[in-house]
């Protein structure tokens, strides 16, 4: 393996020359997926035999890669031939750290199940501009270790990286507990892990929504002001919950529960992926203990809730009045970056929601058309044409279902993720604000110290010994505070740098995973479309 | 589009096409080009400019010609409708400030494509109308048709003036009232009884299907627009091929399925009109019978009544005979056209799905290749994916 410790901002580039890719029937690359539920550290099982053929093919492809010394910008030439393949059948197997560097399939792979002719058609002649030289195969696996260690500032983090992050949380089985307006949904939170932090490897507890909110508020109060990006909890929805409480068992309330369940799951996973938050006793208690004290202050209309709102408003006003002398260009740049990101994500989120809406509309319209075509087929007196029209109706019906599924994919895959990130960015901006506040406190301390110094000088001049002593004591105390303030500011700045780089990595990883999943779902839809129309074609041809 | 009505324009003795058209604001000027070996025309090869109103005039004169009462007159081509793209263009202009430059350019391109599609469609529809006429053994010899093709000056003078148009509207209303009466008439001929039942039922079904198909394609267009916004927001570097594919699927489906249904909806209306005329003739004949009986009873005007009755019977027989021929060939034509269209549509769907898969695979590949460390790279990948 090549050396680790590649600087974070050098993206080694990867390419496959076209003929090489053509050889690779399996689009082979390994992507560091977030850990899947099925695997633990102990499970380094290789992919089952059916995938051996891919192995061969990849090897062929590997041989065709160009010169072994790829020109890279900086750092060691280590880059994964990123591999994705989707197998609609097999479960995802994921082992983040392989023992065998030669085994190119240590990473989870699923195969794209397509007929070969399609795949040949896929790759055109001629080089693609986006593709640059690849690095030799032997250095394939390292970056996954890189991901966790190369930008670590902390000893502890380095250790963490060495220990694979192997934990999976699922939120499932929403159950309505109680009746009427006091009813609530209880969710089962199941954790599967092999980390020594926990008492057992596989356990579950029952939690309700306010428990999650309580957890978040505890974490926020502990960590936000020192610069940690605490993932925000899913949003409250009075309307949604009321419908559920009232007991309407309809489509929209089911959707609401599913949306919430999925959001809670993502929230927990995000929280535990944060190395510091994972170790927090509140988090551990949340995941492990069977009974949890009720988090009352999270109710929307409680006095605590209103107090929170007032505080938020006050903070907003304060923020506007703080003018910070930014000595560190990095922070300025990052703030700009996040502001921009915020804007773009919100816009994107709106577009995707519109897409979901339109696709659902398309599904409805297709269903209506299918019925109409069926009626037309019934009216038709030419037998073969009548049959063809009925077939058309059936095809369209299937397509309508397809559109619905695609809409769901659009939604759950993409739209919800965007919503999460819009909220996350707000948390990031909050952290920057805390830094400003910390700076302000420090500055205020300094100004006060200065004043005290002047006062002390005056006292010395006027020669008042008792007051002088008092002044000197006060000053010493103040100096201590100022030094603490400076230290706090340095610490929060350092923490934020760490957090932001971790956040960015996570973000890109998240998005990449989701995009790929989304593309795969699109591919599947198209494949099914082909199947349906292929079946219809002979019927149409049979009309005489 | 030509497959909507197959086997046209094969007869070399009279070949018509619309090679070219100009769009001026609302009005479309078609260039109607004729190539003929018939001596009834002054030149063997000539072109004239025509407007949509000229087509309407031609259709209406044919419909009003008594001699053609037993024929299915090809349906009049619909008025060129640029309303939808124009409205969108207007909205786009208003929303220009909120979009990025590339997004705006892309939306504009989409709109221009849509505009072009509408334009092409209207040209084809007018062309098919003329070709239906030229390939009909009787209608192709119509004098007005010849004038339409040949007269090298403005036809305005011959077109309906306002009063006549109003009269036309009134006539339509009366006709539909008659239709109701006539569908209750007892039919003597099995063939026509069947046809009537079939056509009435089929017409309502196909009208419904056409409307639903249009809704479907509209949804598709909305989705294509959404993809444009999404990809624009993602600062695409490469062309958003996937958008084009989605958009194209919408417009191809539009051309094939919707146009097919729409065209035959109108054609069936024309067939229904034939049935109506024949039924009217039957009523006339029955009335003339009654008049004859009355005349015999009163022993007055018998010869006129007999003559009248004979004429009515002749007219009715003529209509029945030609009507039967027309309706039979209509059915054959319809089945063939449906077949061709459905096959083409299915093939297109398959082709586009395959192309989509290719694009999506390529994008997946490229997306996965990009390394995670670049903060903005995530978006470039996503942008390229669309």
């Amino acid at each position: 393996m090549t050396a680790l410790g590649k600087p974070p901002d050098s993206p080694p580039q990867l390419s496959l020359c076209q003929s090489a890719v053509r050889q690779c029937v399996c689009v082979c690359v390994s992507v560091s997926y977030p850990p899947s539920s099925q695997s633990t550290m102990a499970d380094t099982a290789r992919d089952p035999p059916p995938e051996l053929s891919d192995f061969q093919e990849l090897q062929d492809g590997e041989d065709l890669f160009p010169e072994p010394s790829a020109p890279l910008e900086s750092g060691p030439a280590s880059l994964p031939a990123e591999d994705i393949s989707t197998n609609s059948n097999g479960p995802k197997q994921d082992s983040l750290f392989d023992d065998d560097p030669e085994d190119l399939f240590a990473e989870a792979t699923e195969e794209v199940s397509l007929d070969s002719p399609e795949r040949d058609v896929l790759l055109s002649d001629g080089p693609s501009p986006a593709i640059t030289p690849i690095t030799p195969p032997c250095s394939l696996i390292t970056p996954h270790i890189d991901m966790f260690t190369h930008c670590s500032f902390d000893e502890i983090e380095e250790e963490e990286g060495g220990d694979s992050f192997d934990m999976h949380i699922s939120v499932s089985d929403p159950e309505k507990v109680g009746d009427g307006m006091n009813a609530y949904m209880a969710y089962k939170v199941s954790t599967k892990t092999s980390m020594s932090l926990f008492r057992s490897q596989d356990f579950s507890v029952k939690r309700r929504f306010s428990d999650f909110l309580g957890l978040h508020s505890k974490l926020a109060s502990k960590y936000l002001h020192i610069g940690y990006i605490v993932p925000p909890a899913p949003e409250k929805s009075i309307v949604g919950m009321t419908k559920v409480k009232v007991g309407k068992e309809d489509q929209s309330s089911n959707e609401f529960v599913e949306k919430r369940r999925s959001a809670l799951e993502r929230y927990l996973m995000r929280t535990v992926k944060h190395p510091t938050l994972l170790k927090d006793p509140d988090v551990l208690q949340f995941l492990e203990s069977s009974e949890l004290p009720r988090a009352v202050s999270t109710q929307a209309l409680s006095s605590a809730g209103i107090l929170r709102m007032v505080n938020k408003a006050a903070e907003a006003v304060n923020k506007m009045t703080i003018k910070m002398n930014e000595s560190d260009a990095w922070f300025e740049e990052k703030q700009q970056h996040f502001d921009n990101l915020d804007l773009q994500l919100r816009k994107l989120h709106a577009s995707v929601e519109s897409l979901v809406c339109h696709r659902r509309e398309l599904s409805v319209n297709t269903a209506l058309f299918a019925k109409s075509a069926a009626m037309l087929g019934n009216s038709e007196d030419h037998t073969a044409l009548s049959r063809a029209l009925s077939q058309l109706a059936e095809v369209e019906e299937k397509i309508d279902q397809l559109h619905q599924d695609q809409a769901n994919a659009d939604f759950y895959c993409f739209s919800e993720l965007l919503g999460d990130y819009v909220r996350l960015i707000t948390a990031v901006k909050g952290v920057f604000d805390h830094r400003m506040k910390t700076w302000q406190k420090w500055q205020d301390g300094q100004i006060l110290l200065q004043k005290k110094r002047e006062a002390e000088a005056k006292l010395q001049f006027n020669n008042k010994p008792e007051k002088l002593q008092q002044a000197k004591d006060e000053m010493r105390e103040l100096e201590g505070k100022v030094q603490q303030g400076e230290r706090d500011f340095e610490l929060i700045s350092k923490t934020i740098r760490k957090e932001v780089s971790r956040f960015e990595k996570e973000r890109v990883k998240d998005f990449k995973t989701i995009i790929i999943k989304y593309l795969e779902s699109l591919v599947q839809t198209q494949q099914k479309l082909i199947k349906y129309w292929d079946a219809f074609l002979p019927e149409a041809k049979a009309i005489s | 589009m030509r497959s909507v009505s197959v086997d046209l324009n094969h007869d070399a003795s009279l070949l018509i096409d619309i090679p070219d058209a100009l769009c001026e604001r609302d009005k479309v000027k078609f260039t109607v080009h004729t190539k003929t070996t018939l001596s009834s025309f002054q030149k063997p090869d000539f072109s004239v400019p025509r407007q949509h109103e000229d087509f309407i005039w031609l259709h209406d004169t044919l419909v009003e010609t008594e001699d053609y009462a037993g024929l299915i007159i090809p349906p009049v081509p619909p008025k060129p409708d640029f309303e939808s793209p124009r409205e969108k263009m207007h909205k786009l202009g208003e929303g220009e400030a909120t979009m990025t430059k590339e997004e705006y350019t892309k939306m504009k391109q989409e709109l221009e494509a849509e505009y072009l599609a509408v334009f092409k469609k209207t040209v084809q529809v007018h062309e098919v109308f003329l070709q239906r006429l030229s390939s009909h053994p009787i209608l192709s010899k119509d004098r007005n048709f010849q004038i339409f093709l040949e007269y090298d000056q403005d036809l305005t003078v011959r077109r309906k003036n306002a009063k006549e148009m109003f009269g036309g509207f009134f006539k339509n209303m009366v006709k539909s009232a008659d239709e109701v009466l006539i569908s209750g008439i007892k039919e003597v001929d099995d063939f026509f009884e069947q046809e009537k039942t079939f056509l009435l039922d089929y017409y309502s079904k196909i009208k419904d299907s056409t409307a639903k198909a249009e809704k479907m394609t509209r949804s598709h267009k909305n989705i294509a627009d959404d993809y444009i916004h999404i990809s624009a927001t993602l600062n695409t570097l490469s062309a958003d091929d996937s958008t084009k594919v989605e958009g194209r699927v919408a417009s191809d489906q539009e051309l094939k399925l919707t146009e097919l249904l729409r065209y035959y909806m109108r054609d069936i209306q024309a067939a229904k009109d034939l049935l109506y005329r024949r039924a009217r003739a039957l009523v006339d004949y029955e009335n003339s019978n009654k008049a004859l009986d009355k005349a015999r009873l009163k022993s007055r005007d018998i010869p006129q009544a007999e003559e009248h009755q004979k004429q009515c019977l002749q007219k009715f027989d003529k209509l029945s005979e030609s009507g039967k021929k027309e309706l039979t060939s209509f059915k054959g034509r319809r089945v063939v056209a449906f077949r061709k269209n459905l096959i083409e549509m299915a093939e297109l769907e398959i082709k586009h799905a395959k192309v989509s898969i290719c694009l999506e695979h390529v994008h997946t590949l490229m997306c996965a290749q990009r390394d995670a460390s670049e903060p903005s790279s995530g978006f470039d990948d996503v942008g390229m994916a669309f």
Side-chain angles (χ1 to χ4, degrees):
Chain A
M1 284 192 195
T2 53
L4 311 173
K6 171 165 63 88
D9 291 314
S10 64
Q13 282 161 317
L14 165 80
S15 90
L16 306 163
C17 79
Q18 289 304 68
S19 53
V21 180
R22 200 183 290 249
Q23 297 286 330
C24 298
V25 177
C26 145
V27 175
C28 29
V29 142
S30 43
V31 152
S32 50
Y33 281 124
S36 79
S37 51
Q38 274 85 3
S39 72
T40 63
M41 180 60 168
D43 176 21
T44 50
R46 296 290 169 259
D47 292 319
E51 308 231 359
L52 241 116
S53 53
D54 303 333
F55 188 73
Q56 310 293 0
E57 281 158 306
L58 175 62
Q59 293 234 293
D60 289 341
E62 292 287 4
D63 290 338
L64 295 173
F65 289 142
E67 70 283 346
S69 55
L72 289 176
E73 296 165 59
S74 61
S78 59
L79 208 272
E82 294 273 293
D83 182 324
I84 314 157
S85 22
T86 21
N87 188 0
S88 38
N89 307 324
K92 255 206 294 192
Q93 277 185 318
D94 206 349
S95 60
L96 237 31
F97 290 89
D98 64 306
D99 304 323
D100 180 8
E102 302 309 327
D103 188 333
L104 303 166
F105 285 86
E107 311 306 323
T109 60
E110 296 169 358
E111 220 207 338
V112 176
S113 45
L114 261 204
D115 304 321
S116 339
E118 235 112 346
R119 246 168 289 172
D120 286 337
V121 172
L122 165 77
L123 306 153
S124 59
D125 290 297
S128 151
I131 300 185
T132 57
I134 195 190
T135 56
C138 67
S139 54
L140 272 179
I141 317 300
T142 55
H144 301 282
I145 310 179
D146 273 353
M147 288 275 210
F148 283 92
T149 60
H150 75 261
C151 70
S152 58
F153 296 69
D154 242 346
E155 279 287 309
I156 305 169
E157 291 228 354
E158 195 113 15
E159 227 170 78
E160 208 90 78
D163 215 315
S164 91
F165 178 76
D166 167 42
M167 182 159 170
H168 184 79
I169 302 185
S170 67
V171 174
S172 56
D173 306 332
E175 228 185 295
K176 186 162 160 205
V177 176
D179 251 327
M181 287 312 287
N182 288 328
Y184 63 90
M185 275 295 187
Y187 302 89
K188 179 162 150 211
V189 177
S190 321
T191 317
K192 283 197 185 66
T193 177
S194 64
M195 297 178 86
S196 47
L197 225 49
F198 296 93
R199 278 176 266 155
S200 74
Q201 295 217 330
D202 192 337
F203 50 92
S204 63
V205 292
K206 282 260 183 216
R207 293 281 177 261
R208 53 183 291 191
F209 186 65
S210 54
D211 294 335
F212 289 84
L213 293 180
L215 175 66
H216 168 74
S217 95
K218 281 195 211 130
L219 291 176
S221 64
K222 277 197 263 185
Y223 292 101
L224 264 183
H225 67 270
I226 48 175
Y228 286 95
I229 302 175
V230 177
E235 284 175 341
K236 279 198 262 265
S237 160
I238 299 182
V239 174
M241 252 342 263
T242 313
K243 266 209 210 151
V244 172
K245 285 194 217 257
V246 164
K248 268 178 109 178
E249 271 294 319
D250 66 342
Q251 175 82 357
S252 68
S253 59
N254 284 341
E255 265 180 36
F256 171 77
V257 171
E258 174 54 33
K259 205 167 129 177
R260 176 161 280 192
R261 183 209 67 80
S262 157
L264 290 173
E265 197 172 277
R266 287 196 307 274
Y267 165 66
L268 282 181
M269 280 305 286
R270 231 172 248 130
T271 306
V272 299
K273 275 203 213 141
H274 193 299
T276 314
L277 294 181
L278 172 61
K279 295 202 222 75
D280 184 282
D282 281 322
V283 171
L284 298 177
Q285 185 193 37
F286 181 88
L287 291 174
E288 282 184 320
S289 70
S290 46
E291 283 299 317
L292 209 62
R294 190 71 205 276
V296 183
S297 65
T298 59
Q299 277 162 348
L301 300 173
S302 69
S303 55
I306 295 182
L307 191 65
R308 256 201 305 280
M309 279 194 284
V310 170
N311 278 339
K312 267 208 191 113
E315 272 178 32
V317 171
N318 277 338
K319 190 169 85 168
M320 288 192 279
T321 58
I322 297 179
K323 270 271 177 294
M324 178 163 164
N325 280 336
E326 188 56 78
S327 52
D328 195 339
W330 186 90
F331 280 92
E332 204 168 312
E333 181 199 313
K334 281 301 170 190
Q335 272 195 292
Q336 191 89 318
H337 165 75
F338 280 112
D339 281 339
N340 199 19
L341 200 57
D342 190 27
L343 207 66
Q344 296 299 326
L345 280 184
R346 277 179 204 271
K347 218 168 145 200
L348 186 61
H349 191 210
S351 298
V352 174
E353 291 202 312
S354 155
L355 175 68
V356 171
C357 181
H358 285 142
R359 217 188 269 284
R360 291 222 166 105
E361 223 176 71
L362 177 63
S363 158
V364 167
N365 287 338
T366 312
L368 287 176
F369 175 73
K371 285 204 191 78
S372 178
M375 303 249 303
L376 191 64
N378 282 339
S379 287
E380 177 61 62
D381 57 356
H382 187 275
T383 351
L385 182 54
S386 164
R387 199 169 41 232
L389 285 174
S390 310
Q391 282 296 95
L392 180 66
E394 272 178 37
V395 168
E396 294 285 352
E397 224 179 278
K398 290 199 198 120
I399 290 181
D400 134 56
Q401 187 56 48
L402 214 60
H403 283 310
Q404 226 178 38
D405 293 341
Q406 181 64 50
N408 285 335
D410 289 344
F411 180 67
Y412 286 113
C413 217
F414 210 11
S415 171
E416 287 283 274
L417 179 76
L418 287 172
D420 283 350
Y421 269 94
V422 167
R423 279 194 301 275
L424 267 169
I425 301 254
T426 314
V428 171
K429 294 214 277 197
V431 148
F432 276 95
D433 290 342
H434 275 293
R435 176 172 170 271
M436 272 210 295
K437 274 201 274 213
T438 312
W439 180 85
Q440 186 71 18
K441 215 165 114 187
W442 174 32
Q443 293 302 314
D444 288 345
Q446 276 191 325
I447 292 173
L448 197 58
L449 186 62
Q450 185 64 20
K451 281 208 191 105
K452 285 279 182 207
R453 281 215 177 103
E454 285 168 8
E456 191 225 8
K458 244 195 254 174
L459 282 177
Q460 240 180 9
F461 188 67
N462 291 342
N463 205 2
K464 296 219 171 109
E466 325 80 41
K467 286 217 177 130
L468 197 60
Q469 187 55 40
Q470 188 190 17
K472 278 212 164 79
D473 287 335
E474 276 177 1
M475 253 182 53
R476 230 193 330 270
E477 205 186 309
L478 253 184
E479 269 166 14
K481 279 217 186 95
V482 165
Q483 277 173 2
Q484 180 62 37
E486 184 174 1
R487 268 201 302 275
D488 285 343
F489 181 70
E490 304 267 285
L491 183 62
I492 196 179
S493 300
K494 186 162 133 195
T495 309
I496 290 183
R497 275 181 195 266
K498 225 178 359 172
E499 284 288 287
V500 164
S501 89
R502 195 190 74 91
F503 175 82
E504 286 289 275
K505 259 208 309 283
E506 279 295 313
R507 173 176 72 83
V508 177
K509 202 163 72 167
D510 261 353
F511 269 87
K512 200 148 94 163
T513 315
I514 288 299
I515 294 299
I516 289 170
K517 241 203 251 160
Y518 182 68
L519 284 176
E520 284 163 6
S521 81
L522 281 181
V523 167
Q524 275 183 354
T525 309
Q526 302 296 344
Q527 285 176 318
K528 289 215 189 88
L529 270 180
I530 290 182
K531 209 167 63 174
Y532 297 152
W533 287 112
D534 258 337
F536 173 73
L537 204 51
E539 278 292 337
K541 291 200 169 132
I543 305 172
S544 57
Chain B
M1 181 59 189
R2 226 153 267 159
S3 57
V4 165
S5 200
V6 290
D7 293 335
L8 294 178
N9 227 33
H10 286 352
D11 185 2
S13 66
L14 186 61
L15 290 171
I16 305 179
D17 70 308
I18 300 183
D20 159 30
L22 263 181
C23 187
E24 285 171 15
R25 304 191 97 244
D26 262 8
K27 296 219 168 283
V28 184
K29 278 199 167 64
F30 304 95
T31 309
V32 179
H33 169 243
T34 317
K35 239 162 100 159
T36 176
T37 58
L38 299 174
S39 52
S40 47
F41 290 91
Q42 288 171 3
K43 288 186 273 190
D45 196 326
F46 51 91
S47 296
V48 291
R50 289 288 175 253
Q51 288 183 9
H52 173 69
E53 286 74 19
D54 300 330
F55 287 78
I56 298 185
W57 165 80
L58 177 61
H59 174 262
D60 288 347
T61 52
L62 292 173
V63 165
E64 284 160 18
T65 310
E66 270 294 325
D67 284 342
Y68 304 147
L71 307 175
I72 299 179
I73 312 288
V76 62
K79 193 168 150 95
D81 177 22
F82 293 102
E83 191 53 44
S84 162
R86 210 180 314 126
E87 201 181 305
K88 270 192 183 170
M89 192 72 96
H90 186 65
K91 260 193 231 154
L92 182 66
E94 281 178 355
E96 184 177 355
T98 61
M99 290 188 248
T100 66
K101 192 148 180 275
E102 350 171 300
E103 198 176 336
Y104 180 73
T105 328
K106 238 165 265 152
M107 288 293 295
K108 198 147 166 258
Q109 278 175 355
E110 266 297 305
L111 266 182
E112 280 169 3
E114 198 178 318
Y115 209 82
L116 193 65
V118 171
F119 187 68
K120 267 202 243 173
K121 206 167 54 173
T122 193
V123 165
Q124 281 165 347
V125 153
H126 285 75
E127 197 177 60
V128 164
F129 172 71
L130 293 176
Q131 288 172 346
R132 278 279 294 275
L133 291 176
S134 70
S135 51
H136 194 285
I138 299 173
L139 291 172
S140 59
K141 301 195 181 61
D142 181 78
R143 177 86 192 111
N144 283 315
F145 184 45
Q146 201 176 342
I147 293 172
F148 178 92
L149 292 173
E150 232 181 3
Y151 191 67
D152 56 4
Q153 279 157 46
D154 205 345
L155 281 179
T156 334
V157 64
R158 290 176 176 267
R159 284 200 269 118
K160 276 183 177 171
N161 58 30
K163 190 173 98 187
E164 274 183 25
M165 270 171 71
F166 191 66
F169 171 70
F170 185 64
K171 255 202 295 195
N172 273 334
M173 272 181 54
V174 172
K175 193 172 87 178
S176 28
D178 270 335
E179 249 177 46
V180 173
L181 287 170
I182 271 140
S183 52
I185 258 190
K186 199 152 112 56
E187 187 51 74
V188 289
D189 190 333
D190 264 348
F191 172 82
F192 283 98
E193 181 63 32
Q194 268 179 3
E195 281 299 306
K196 187 178 71 184
T197 321
F198 170 70
L199 283 178
L200 285 176
D201 180 42
Y202 202 78
Y203 178 72
S204 67
K205 301 275 163 59
I206 204 173
K207 193 161 158 198
D208 184 55
S209 295
T210 310
K212 302 272 159 67
E214 280 175 0
K215 263 196 183 151
M216 229 174 36
T217 49
R218 242 200 315 266
S219 293
H220 253 300
K221 281 220 180 82
N222 284 339
I223 291 182
D225 285 344
D226 282 332
Y227 273 124
I228 292 183
H229 286 301
I230 290 176
S231 64
T233 317
L234 295 169
N235 305 321
T236 9
L237 304 167
S238 65
D240 41 287
D241 298 333
S242 184
T243 313
K244 288 222 185 72
V245 174
E246 277 265 17
R248 237 183 280 129
V249 170
S251 50
D252 281 334
Q253 251 194 335
E254 163 105 328
L255 279 179
K256 290 264 153 257
L257 185 63
T258 316
E259 280 314 294
L260 172 74
L261 292 173
R262 219 183 266 142
Y263 187 79
Y264 275 95
M265 183 178 82
R266 278 184 250 119
D267 222 4
I268 286 173
Q269 182 63 50
K272 271 170 62 184
D273 287 346
L274 167 63
L275 283 182
Y276 155 75
R277 289 193 291 270
R278 180 181 161 278
R280 246 233 104 63
L282 179 60
V283 169
D284 287 343
Y285 172 62
E286 285 179 354
N287 286 340
S288 77
N289 263 336
K290 288 196 195 116
L292 181 59
D293 287 340
K294 237 199 282 185
R296 284 197 177 123
L297 272 175
K298 290 188 187 159
S299 296
R300 244 195 341 176
D301 298 326
I302 296 181
Q304 293 106 308
E306 278 182 348
E307 185 58 37
H308 183 61
Q309 189 231 37
K310 204 165 77 176
Q311 278 177 358
C312 286
L313 184 60
Q314 267 178 356
K315 181 169 167 204
F316 177 68
D317 281 339
K318 186 171 132 207
L319 283 185
S320 297
E321 199 189 308
S322 83
K324 209 179 254 182
K325 257 194 287 186
E326 287 278 304
L327 287 170
T328 316
S329 77
F330 170 70
K331 182 178 305 214
R333 202 174 54 221
R334 187 167 54 79
V335 171
V336 171
F338 264 75
R339 176 179 190 275
K340 187 147 180 269
N341 260 280
L342 290 175
I343 292 176
E344 283 176 8
M345 180 179 77
E347 285 172 352
L348 265 172
E349 293 265 7
I350 294 176
K351 182 173 115 190
H352 282 301
K354 286 198 177 144
V355 169
S356 290
I357 291 184
C358 287
L359 287 169
E360 282 147 14
H361 270 309
V362 170
H363 290 133
T364 312
L365 187 65
M366 298 208 275
C367 189
Q369 282 174 359
R370 297 288 196 89
D371 189 77
S373 355
E374 239 181 48
S376 64
S377 73
F379 284 136
D380 294 347
D381 299 336
V382 174
M384 280 163 68
F386 287 112

